[in-house]
């Protein structure tokens, strides 16, 4: 489990390093910066994002879920404001940067870990 967590952290850091090539208004200076930013993004997405999603649930429902993209962009931009060497030029850069970051890290994780496994548990009532 710890090994998988470290692998996902490295994948996310590499996705951040690839981001400036895909979204030029997002800059990441080094692998160290990418590792720190990936760790902070993971913490923010784990601790703060669920609270924001809950607090903005009416806006999310009214926009048919599209407000989640705004939350992701603001959190991406928020983390960039704290990490030296990780810069995002503005809201729209954060908006598209967060989307591309998520897609690249998702694709890389799928390549490394393979497709998700679905486990079906059946309960037979006819046990002898």
């Amino acid at each position: 489990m710890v090994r998988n967590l470290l692998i996902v952290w490295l994948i996310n850091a590499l996705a951040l390093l690839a981001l400036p090539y895909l979204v030029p208004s997002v800059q990441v200076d080094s692998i160290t910066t990418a590792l720190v930013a990936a760790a902070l993004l993971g913490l923010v997405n784990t601790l703060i994002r669920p609270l924001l999603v809950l607090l903005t649930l009416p806006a999310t429902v009214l926009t048919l879920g599209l407000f989640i993209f705004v939350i992701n962009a603001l959190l991406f931009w928020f983390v960039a404001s704290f990490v030296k060497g990780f810069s995002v030029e503005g809201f729209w850069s954060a908006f598209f940067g967060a989307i591309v970051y998520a897609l690249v890290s998702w694709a890389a994780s799928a390549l490394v870990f393979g497709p998700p496994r679905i486990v079906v548990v059946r309960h037979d009532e006819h046990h002898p």
Side-chain angles (χ1 to χ4, degrees):
M1 178 157 159
V2 173
R3 189 187 103 200
N4 285 353
L5 186 63
L6 291 174
I7 292 171
V8 168
W9 179 36
L10 183 60
I11 288 170
N12 289 339
L14 293 174
L16 276 175
L17 283 174
L19 204 54
Y21 297 101
L22 304 169
V23 182
S25 53
V26 174
Q27 294 300 315
V28 180
D29 289 348
S30 67
I31 184 70
T32 305
T33 301
L35 287 167
V36 170
L40 278 177
L41 280 167
L43 283 173
V44 164
N45 283 329
T46 301
L47 302 173
I48 298 172
R49 186 175 181 269
L51 180 62
L52 285 178
V53 169
L54 184 63
L55 291 173
T56 60
L57 195 56
T60 302
V61 170
L62 284 173
T63 61
L64 303 175
L66 294 176
F67 195 73
I68 297 289
F69 289 108
V70 173
I71 292 171
N72 290 345
L74 291 174
L75 291 175
F76 192 79
W77 200 9
F78 176 71
V79 169
S81 71
F82 283 102
V83 179
K84 185 178 179 181
F86 177 38
S87 63
V88 177
E89 287 183 13
F91 173 78
W92 290 109
S93 298
F95 185 86
F96 293 114
I99 291 171
V100 172
Y101 169 67
L103 290 173
V104 170
S105 63
W106 168 77
S109 293
L111 285 173
V112 171
F113 294 111
R117 296 182 185 160
I118 298 173
V119 177
V120 177
V121 178
R122 294 186 180 156
H123 297 283
D124 290 335
E125 295 180 21
H126 303 290
H127 284 290

